[in-house]
Amino acid sequence: MAPLDFPPRREAGIGDLLGSSKAGWSEVDGQRVRRTLDPVWLVLHFRRIGAEYNRLSSGLSVNRGTLLPVLWLALRERGWLISRQAAEDAWDLASLTPLRSGGGDGDDPF
């Protein structure tokens, strides 16, 4: 049986989360309104970038206590509504339950 030939999947990074063109702002009656970010989407994204408790799967060491508040602030600046605790919980859950190899992008908003 011949091996399946899948197109290479680009690795996701923190820049995909913060540099994405998809902002949380919506136009409602001519005003910019923040949209709520579902923590499940954030868990999925953190899994894609290989979140581990204090590092990324690429081996990059991160200071979780510094990174997560900055990520939360960056999300807020892009228009997303999410609590700090929900962002921290999403990172922790992604750390405990890594993405299985071959996992797809799913409904990741980033």
Side-chain angles (χ1 to χ4, degrees), residues 12-90:
I14 294 289
D16 293 322
L17 176 62
L18 300 179
S20 172
S21 62
K22 296 179 183 178
W25 299 108
S26 293
E27 285 285 325
V28 177
D29 297 329
Q31 294 183 355
R32 285 180 14 155
V33 177
R34 294 177 187 272
R35 287 188 289 168
T36 301
L37 178 60
D38 185 344
V40 173
W41 286 346
L42 200 51
V43 170
L44 293 174
H45 184 77
F46 287 156
R47 285 179 181 161
R48 282 181 53 218
I49 64 171
E52 296 177 23
Y53 192 72
N54 275 319
R55 64 188 181 110
L56 296 174
S57 60
S58 64
L60 180 65
S61 179
V62 297
N63 182 336
R64 182 183 172 281
T66 301
L67 175 69
L68 292 177
V70 170
L71 275 173
W72 175 81
L73 182 59
L75 288 168
R76 294 283 299 182
E77 287 178 350
R78 294 201 45 81
W80 293 107
L81 279 176
I82 188 167
S83 72
R84 286 180 193 233
Q85 188 62 52
E88 291 174 10
D89 291 346

